[in-house]
Amino acid sequence: MKISSPDPRAEPPKDPFFAIRQRFLALAETYVLEIAMLRRAAESPAQLRESLTGIGLIAHRVSGVAATLGYDSLGEAAASLDRQLTQAQKSGALDLRTFDQPISIFHASLSNVLDVRQS
């Protein structure tokens, strides 16, 4: 049996996730802005629950796709924030100070994915 090496002139395999990745990155740009606005709105006690719910929904969406597309650290940050916010919503323990760091980590991870794409 003869084993041949791949033809160096052959085109590299196409990225099956290219279109999905481009759509995800476009959404990520809007998510970065939304998270910043929701975080500011959460400083108002009257808007705390609604704002954290909005951030949680974004984290949930991102956690479901990020790791599949190769953005592992973003997926981990999103999943962690999603879990924390879901538990707090259920227990009624919503304190913005509790979520400042996880929100900041998630927001920075999302921004980093966009920065890498642009470089």
Side-chain angles (χ1 to χ4, degrees):
M1 178 165 103
K2 181 180 176 185
I3 299 177
S4 61
S5 59
D7 182 354
R9 296 168 291 168
E11 287 187 34
K14 303 243 186 243
D15 177 3
F17 295 115
F18 180 80
I20 296 167
R21 187 174 289 108
Q22 295 309 306
R23 174 77 175 130
F24 175 79
L25 291 171
L27 284 171
E29 289 181 16
T30 63
Y31 290 159
V32 166
L33 298 173
E34 282 184 63
I35 292 166
M37 291 182 339
L38 288 167
R39 170 56 190 83
R40 269 189 295 260
E43 292 174 5
S44 165
Q47 295 181 342
L48 176 65
R49 179 174 290 282
E50 183 180 346
S51 297
L52 290 180
T53 298
I55 293 170
L57 288 172
I58 294 169
H60 183 77
R61 287 183 208 126
V62 170
S63 71
V65 170
T68 302
L69 297 177
Y71 306 120
D72 295 336
S73 61
L74 172 58
E76 291 171 16
S80 175
L81 179 59
D82 181 30
R83 273 191 309 275
Q84 291 175 47
L85 285 171
T86 298
Q87 288 175 338
Q89 292 273 4
K90 288 179 182 175
S91 71
L94 291 176
D95 180 359
L96 183 57
R97 292 170 296 184
T98 303
F99 300 106
D100 269 337
Q101 184 177 14
I103 291 170
S104 293
I105 291 169
F106 174 52
H107 192 253
S109 296
L110 199 53
S111 295
N112 287 341
V113 165
L114 295 172
D115 290 344
V116 168
R117 174 189 71 161
Q118 294 172 0
S119 55

